[in-house]
Amino acid sequence: MQTINDLLKVLVLDKVEENQFKGISKTVGSPNVFGGQVLAQAINAAYRTIFNGRILHSMHSYFLEAGDLELPITYNVAIIRDGGSFSTRRVTAHQKGKIIFILAASFQRIEDGYSHQIDAIKNIKPPEELASWDDMLEQFGEFLPRKSKAFLEIPRPVMFKPVDVPNPFEPENMEPYTNVWFKLKGENNKVDLATKQQILTYISDYNVLSVALQRHGSKAHWGNTITASLDHSMWYFRDFDFNDWLLYSLDSPSASNARGFARGNIYTRKGELIASVAQEGLMRPIKK
């Protein structure tokens, strides 16, 4: 996948029957299905049962089994409730006769009300002054560790520009927070809010668990630690424009019992808070 159009071909599901949909998978460098893909596809399935113009405002989910990249994923949507202002859907994702993922999503009719937000971090370097993952591959690819190089070589429809980049040759413990700019590749002028939310959810699973791991960077890395998303929650606050860069500000308040907890806020370049994310993931050291 190299553009938004390639991404949408994966995220937009085929309808099988009433309230049942099916989707394919594309690798992002992992041997298993990318969690962000399952999240976004499940939201696509839920949205396909919403006919009253309501907009997703929150979702909560659990990853139960690793997804097989070679097999289609079937999504079943249960219509839990359509109230006066809110609609609730439950989505289950299936492979090989097993439920691999569950999601609960709530949709709300558009309303006026009070508004406030927490401010974005000040004095963050703008994306124009930073190197993207593609730039890093081009400049340092011959010197990077094999797994890092292989990860960066995967074509992606999203451009990422981290504000702080760990040195893979001199690993050290870093503070448990980070900031990453991101932007879609390709034209996206005709994308509606529902579709933007699905794409944003897909992107939200990138970088999030890394911030929990970097606090232990002197000894922990992707090669000696088993990692996997366990759950993922997201709240959607405001409409936004994908044509400009967005900022993902992440921190990790805690890691314990082989689990790492991370949370993030997603801002526009102007500092408008558009969404918040929380995730707990497995971070199990591999015993020698």
Side-chain angles (χ1 to χ4, degrees):
M1 296 186 293
Q2 300 187 50
T3 68
I4 179 178
N5 290 329
D6 297 331
L7 178 58
L8 290 177
K9 289 177 183 177
V10 174
L11 300 189
V12 178
L13 305 173
D14 293 328
K15 185 173 181 178
V16 178
E17 57 185 54
E18 194 69 18
N19 300 337
Q20 185 178 87
F21 307 86
K22 184 173 290 186
I24 61 172
S25 298
K26 294 289 185 179
T27 184
V28 298
S30 166
N32 302 316
V33 175
F34 176 49
Q37 176 200 299
V38 180
L39 288 163
Q41 287 180 330
I43 293 172
N44 181 264
Y47 254 121
R48 301 276 283 277
T49 69
I50 298 292
F51 304 106
N52 49 20
R54 293 176 181 178
I55 295 297
L56 180 67
H57 75 87
S58 70
M59 67 85 171
H60 307 272
S61 65
Y62 285 92
F63 298 92
L64 307 179
E65 300 273 355
D68 188 329
L69 283 165
E70 303 302 320
L71 298 176
I73 303 174
T74 300
Y75 296 86
N76 294 324
V77 183
I79 299 176
I80 305 301
R81 179 176 181 267
D82 283 313
S85 300
F86 293 87
S87 294
T88 306
R89 299 292 185 265
R90 183 180 68 241
V91 183
T92 53
H94 303 253
Q95 267 190 339
K96 302 177 184 177
K98 294 182 178 180
I99 297 176
I100 65 169
F101 171 85
I102 57 175
L103 174 141
S106 182
F107 300 78
Q108 182 189 14
R109 66 181 176 90
I110 297 175
E111 300 184 59
D112 293 326
Y114 302 110
S115 180
H116 76 272
Q117 67 163 72
I118 188 171
D119 291 335
I121 299 174
K122 305 296 184 183
N123 302 318
I124 293 288
K125 281 188 177 181
E128 289 78 11
E129 297 180 12
L130 300 168
S132 69
W133 286 2
D134 294 339
D135 296 331
M136 295 176 196
L137 177 63
E138 183 178 350
Q139 295 175 26
F140 310 111
E142 295 183 6
F143 308 102
L144 290 173
R146 180 179 56 84
K147 287 191 175 182
S148 298
K149 184 174 184 288
F151 177 78
L152 293 177
E153 285 177 332
I154 299 295
R156 291 181 173 81
V158 187
M159 186 183 303
F160 294 99
K161 289 191 174 185
V163 176
D164 300 300
V165 182
N167 185 340
F169 302 103
E170 297 181 5
E172 60 180 343
N173 294 339
M174 300 177 64
E175 292 299 319
Y177 54 80
T178 192
N179 294 277
V180 181
W181 291 98
F182 65 89
K183 186 180 181 182
L184 283 175
K185 299 175 182 177
E187 296 295 327
N188 53 84
N189 294 321
K190 298 182 180 179
V191 179
D192 62 13
L193 178 55
T195 304
K196 285 189 283 187
Q197 289 179 329
Q198 293 164 52
I199 296 171
L200 191 69
T201 303
Y202 173 88
I203 297 171
S204 73
D205 199 36
Y206 272 104
N207 300 291
V208 62
L209 193 55
S210 301
V211 72
L213 197 62
Q214 72 182 31
R215 183 65 180 83
H216 311 276
S218 64
K219 55 185 177 181
H221 54 78
W222 301 112
N224 66 7
T225 309
I226 299 172
T227 60
S229 300
L230 297 175
D231 56 36
H232 194 101
S233 296
M234 197 161 176
W235 298 261
Y236 309 82
F237 306 128
R238 297 169 177 86
D239 197 353
F240 61 96
D241 185 357
F242 258 133
N243 285 304
D244 199 1
W245 291 90
L246 300 174
L247 179 67
Y248 202 178
S249 292
L250 293 148
D251 67 68
S252 176
S254 176
S256 64
N257 202 37
R259 302 190 314 272
F261 175 64
R263 58 190 181 184
N265 289 321
I266 303 176
Y267 296 91
T268 67
R269 188 195 287 260
K270 294 181 179 179
E272 296 175 310
L273 179 61
I274 59 174
S276 290
V277 179
Q279 183 183 103
E280 192 169 47
L282 180 69
M283 288 178 21
R284 179 182 292 148
I286 298 175
K287 297 180 180 180
K288 296 182 181 180

